[in-house]
């Protein structure tokens, strides 16, 4: 039995119409929680909730605007909020302003907006759990995806801030930072994803396993690919060498 009691917990998972989000929703429900399954696509949200059964309710819509509705659907309380919805925006420094704005809004501001609504009740109760699906790109970077990389760094920074600010008041925060996961997002990453992410890609269920292990052990950083810890350390201790290695990947990607 986990040190954290999931039985009768009320959980929201955004972007849960497939991939990591669906795996998280299924796992929380299997542990005894009741789950609000959110997705921008109503049919996908309904399909995942239907597959889970009585412990799930679909709450379709924009992840930035469903906290109150999800809370009502869960009986007026949210214990765990999984900010999983994300936008895998490719492009370089010349990407359109609209691409940058959409990535910032989905990958960072949706988390901020959710926290604004969740924190008053959590701080009053002295308990709450915020799970941010960040990506290893938030710890490192991703070639060919400037908007994605930059905004995932922002998502990590916000999760860190939440943790250091509120952990003594009962708010637990976790940042999930996988590399490649076999989802539609990996497919959308194209040739860059095939080069960097596909060789070590894992199933979404492995991400859920890593999260539950990390929650039990009280870890902030959830690393479904353990080697990311070494990459992160190398980036911090010898950034020029790390950047040279990433530039080697960039040049390899550019070469037909």
């Amino acid at each position: 039995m986990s040190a954290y009691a999931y039985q009768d917990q009320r959980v929201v998972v955004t972007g849960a119409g497939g991939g990591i989000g669906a795996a998280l929703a299924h796992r929380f429900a299997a542990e005894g929680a009741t789950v609000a399954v959110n997705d921008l696509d109503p049919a996908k949200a309904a399909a995942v909730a239907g597959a889970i059964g009585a412990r799930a309710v679909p709450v379709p819509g924009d992840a930035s605007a469903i906290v109150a509705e999800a809370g009502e659907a869960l009986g007026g309380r949210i214990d765990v909020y999984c900010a999983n919805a994300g936008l895998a925006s490719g492009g370089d420094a010349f990407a359109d302003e609209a691409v940058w704005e959409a990535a910032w809004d989905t990958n960072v501001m949706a988390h901020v907006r959710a926290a604004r609504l969740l924190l008053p009740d959590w701080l009053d109760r002295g308990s709450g759990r915020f799970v941010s699906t960040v990506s290893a790109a938030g710890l490192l970077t991703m070639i060919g995806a400037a908007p994605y990389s930059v905004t995932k760094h922002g998502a990590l920074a916000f999760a860190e801030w939440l943790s250091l600010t509120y952990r003594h008041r009962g708010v637990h925060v976790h940042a999930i930072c996988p590399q490649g996961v076999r989802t539609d997002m990996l497919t959308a990453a194209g040739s860059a994803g095939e080069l960097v992410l596909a060789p070590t890609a894992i199933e979404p269920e492995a991400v859920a396993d890593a999260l539950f292990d990390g929650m039990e052990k009280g870890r902030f950083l959830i690393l479904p690919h353990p080697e990311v810890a070494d990459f992160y350390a190398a980036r911090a201790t010898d950034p020029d060498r790390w950047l040279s290695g990433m530039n080697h990947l960039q040049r390899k990607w550019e070469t037909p």
Side-chain angles (χ1 to χ4, degrees):
M1 172 67 70
S2 168
Y4 181 71
Y6 303 101
Q7 189 70 36
D8 299 324
Q9 291 285 288
R10 318 290 176 84
V11 180
V12 178
V13 184
T14 67
I20 294 173
L24 294 179
H26 276 276
R27 180 61 182 273
F28 273 108
E31 295 286 342
T34 301
V35 185
V37 179
N38 162 257
D39 198 88
L40 197 59
D41 185 329
K44 289 182 177 180
V48 172
I52 292 172
R55 288 195 175 276
V57 58
V59 183
D62 188 324
S64 289
I66 55 84
V67 174
E69 183 180 352
E72 291 177 6
L74 293 173
R77 189 182 85 235
I78 295 173
D79 300 298
V80 182
Y81 187 88
C82 297
N84 174 76
L87 197 59
S89 303
D92 55 19
F94 300 100
D96 289 345
E97 289 285 322
V99 173
W100 282 95
E101 290 172 2
W104 179 257
D105 191 72
T106 301
N107 295 343
V108 181
M109 291 309 300
H111 299 199
V112 175
R113 295 184 189 111
R116 287 174 182 160
L117 296 173
L118 294 163
L119 282 169
D121 179 56
W122 286 357
L123 294 175
D124 185 58
R125 288 196 278 136
S127 67
R129 195 170 294 263
F130 193 95
V131 179
S132 176
T133 301
V134 175
S135 164
L139 292 169
L140 306 168
T141 194
M142 179 58 190
I143 62 173
Y148 181 72
S149 297
V150 171
T151 55
K152 286 299 185 177
H153 275 263
L156 178 65
F158 184 63
E160 288 176 333
W161 186 90
L162 285 177
S163 182
L164 69 89
T165 303
Y166 298 116
R167 60 170 49 204
H168 67 291
R169 299 181 65 181
V171 176
H172 304 273
V173 183
H174 309 276
I176 309 175
C177 298
Q179 292 194 111
V181 182
R182 296 188 184 99
T183 66
D184 291 342
M185 190 174 286
L186 176 59
T187 303
S191 58
E194 292 176 8
L195 174 64
V196 179
L197 304 175
T200 60
I202 59 177
E203 296 298 330
E205 290 74 18
V207 179
D209 289 342
L211 172 62
F212 273 72
D213 180 65
M215 289 193 297
E216 181 176 350
K217 295 173 180 175
R219 292 175 179 160
F220 169 74
L221 271 184
I222 308 298
L223 301 178
H225 295 80
E227 63 270 26
V228 169
D230 295 330
F231 301 153
Y232 189 39
R235 174 180 176 269
T237 56
D238 195 346
D240 288 307
R241 182 177 181 182
W242 180 79
L243 286 167
S244 293
M246 291 302 296
N247 180 251
H248 175 74
L249 278 177
Q250 173 72 24
R251 286 178 287 152
K252 185 176 181 180
W253 179 53
E254 291 177 359
T255 302

